[in-house]
Amino acid sequence: MEILEADQLVKQYGPQTAVDQVSFRIQSGEIVGFLGPNGAGKSTTMKMISGILEPDEGSVKIKGSVLDKNHPSLKQSIAYLPENNPLYTDLYVRESLEFMARIHGVKNAKPVIDEAIRACGLSQEKHKKIGQLSKGYRQRVGLAQTLLHQPDLFILDEATTGLDPNQILEIRDLIRSLGKEHAVLMSTHILQEVESICTRCIVIHRGKLIADEPMVSLKKKLQARHEVYVRFVGEVPVALLRKRWNQIVPGTEEQSFLIRDEDPLLSQKVYQWAVENHLVLNELKWVENKMEDLFHSLTGQTSGAAHA
């Protein structure tokens, strides 16, 4: 079932276009990673989808109905956890969840709150004031609040920010469980997170959507990219090297380079080229492709030197 349809969304702040004609759809059962550099327009897009901001152009549909001031009840189908996670720090954890349940009009709230506390690992902290909690546990309280009214769409902006490694794994498991029966759109700077739990990835850059593909497709693209790191002894005829391979990034060490090609025999070809040109190799190794590399290539940035 289609939960969300964002159609040609535009948002401007004075002369700056923060979001420019962005369109995508999310079905129930999907966990979609929402990626982009800082200032790309991710948070603005998420606020428009959640109904906090009104788009200057375009529309948002929730389960087929337009989300606007004439249909305020549609917001009950959405849970939005912003990056700064605003909380009432003077309230106790359970007291805060009871308050939010009343705001959402949750009937028979006790078992719903109990389940949210259990699911978010707050059993030992539920009688503490929120102001006494660590940043990680405050993030859990925010996630628990999103569960109370049983929405169809979860919008999570940097949901694992401030969590320790164990907590991150627990929250990822929670997001996976949400994604089985709901639609989840989550922004993150942790690309490993996208690889581990998302079924699809959307990339936005300078306000424009530049990629929207299943993770399986993106991983195939990564597998098709071959890279080797090579370091020579002595001077290298760089012009000759670039004539043979046009995707070359200088390394951080002298006479070192990162060479990219689609040839699966790239390392053998580099070795053969060095022998033919009477060059001595100090080091030659495969470089494992990561999601970061694909992200950088999509956004026109390069991280090649970092491999060296």
Side-chain angles (χ1 to χ4, degrees):
M1 177 182 177
E2 186 170 283
I3 302 298
L4 168 68
E5 180 186 353
D7 183 32
Q8 299 292 304
L9 294 180
V10 174
K11 190 64 182 179
Q12 292 181 300
Y13 297 103
Q16 181 184 1
T17 302
V19 177
D20 190 0
Q21 303 290 327
V22 168
S23 299
F24 57 87
R25 301 181 179 194
I26 302 180
Q27 307 279 335
S28 180
E30 279 193 297
I31 302 176
V32 180
F34 196 33
L35 301 180
N38 288 332
K42 300 190 301 298
S43 292
T44 300
T45 301
M46 294 175 118
K47 287 176 181 177
M48 285 191 285
I49 291 169
S50 63
I52 294 172
L53 286 178
E54 187 174 339
D56 295 327
E57 296 178 27
S59 65
V60 174
K61 289 184 180 179
I62 304 295
K63 295 192 292 186
S65 298
V66 176
L67 177 66
D68 58 22
K69 60 185 178 182
N70 297 318
H71 301 88
S73 62
L74 287 176
K75 291 186 179 181
Q76 281 293 104
S77 298
I78 304 169
Y80 173 55
L81 181 64
E83 183 178 3
N84 59 2
N85 188 15
L87 296 167
Y88 294 101
T89 56
D90 289 337
L91 295 182
Y92 294 93
V93 171
R94 187 173 191 93
E95 182 184 16
S96 173
L97 294 175
E98 290 170 348
F99 174 63
M100 294 305 296
R102 288 197 300 272
I103 288 177
H104 286 295
V106 178
K107 297 179 180 179
N108 192 22
K110 185 180 184 305
V112 176
I113 292 170
D114 289 342
E115 175 57 22
I117 287 172
R118 185 205 62 78
C120 295
L122 289 165
S123 298
Q124 302 298 317
E125 314 295 326
K126 62 184 177 182
H127 299 303
K128 290 184 180 179
K129 284 190 174 183
I130 293 174
Q132 296 174 311
L133 301 179
S134 67
K135 184 176 181 181
Y137 274 105
R138 292 188 190 194
Q139 194 72 357
R140 290 179 182 225
V141 174
L143 283 166
Q145 289 183 170
T146 68
L147 300 176
L148 297 176
H149 61 292
Q150 301 177 321
D152 297 294
L153 171 64
F154 289 85
I155 302 174
L156 309 176
D157 196 353
E158 304 289 343
T160 57
T161 298
L163 304 184
D164 64 38
N166 289 331
Q167 291 172 334
I168 287 174
L169 293 176
E170 292 169 0
I171 296 302
R172 285 179 185 173
D173 286 340
L174 173 58
I175 294 172
R176 284 191 192 97
S177 68
L178 293 176
K180 292 177 181 178
E181 297 181 358
H182 305 82
V184 179
L185 177 67
M186 55 175 290
S187 75
T188 177
H189 285 95
I190 306 172
L191 297 182
Q192 181 189 1
E193 200 156 72
V194 176
E195 288 186 277
S196 65
I197 66 175
C198 293
T199 55
R200 196 169 120 221
C201 183
I202 293 172
V203 183
I204 188 173
H205 185 49
R206 295 178 180 172
K208 292 182 177 292
L209 191 148
I210 60 172
D212 182 357
E213 296 187 49
M215 288 305 303
V216 172
S217 173
L218 287 175
K219 287 180 178 180
K220 283 183 179 178
K221 287 186 177 181
L222 278 176
Q223 292 168 359
R225 291 158 52 93
H226 300 284
E227 301 181 345
V228 296
Y229 170 71
V230 59
R231 184 157 58 95
F232 297 93
V233 175
E235 195 73 23
V236 180
V238 179
L240 192 62
L241 185 64
R242 291 189 183 279
K243 186 176 180 180
R244 177 64 181 82
W245 292 282
N246 55 20
Q247 294 189 62
I248 296 174
V249 179
T252 54
E253 298 179 84
E254 288 188 8
Q255 307 306 320
S256 69
F257 304 89
L258 184 77
I259 302 175
R260 296 171 177 157
D261 201 281
E262 294 183 2
D263 189 345
L265 300 176
L266 179 59
S267 61
Q268 292 95 315
K269 298 287 180 66
V270 171
Y271 176 79
Q272 184 180 354
W273 181 87
V275 172
E276 291 173 353
N277 288 276
H278 309 291
L279 297 169
V280 179
L281 294 176
N282 191 312
E283 189 175 0
L284 176 64
K285 63 182 180 182
W286 280 106
V287 175
E288 181 182 358
N289 277 309
K290 297 180 181 178
M291 200 69 188
E292 284 89 342
D293 302 310
L294 188 59
F295 174 77
H296 287 307
S297 69
L298 288 171
T299 58
Q301 301 172 33
T302 177
S303 61
H307 287 289

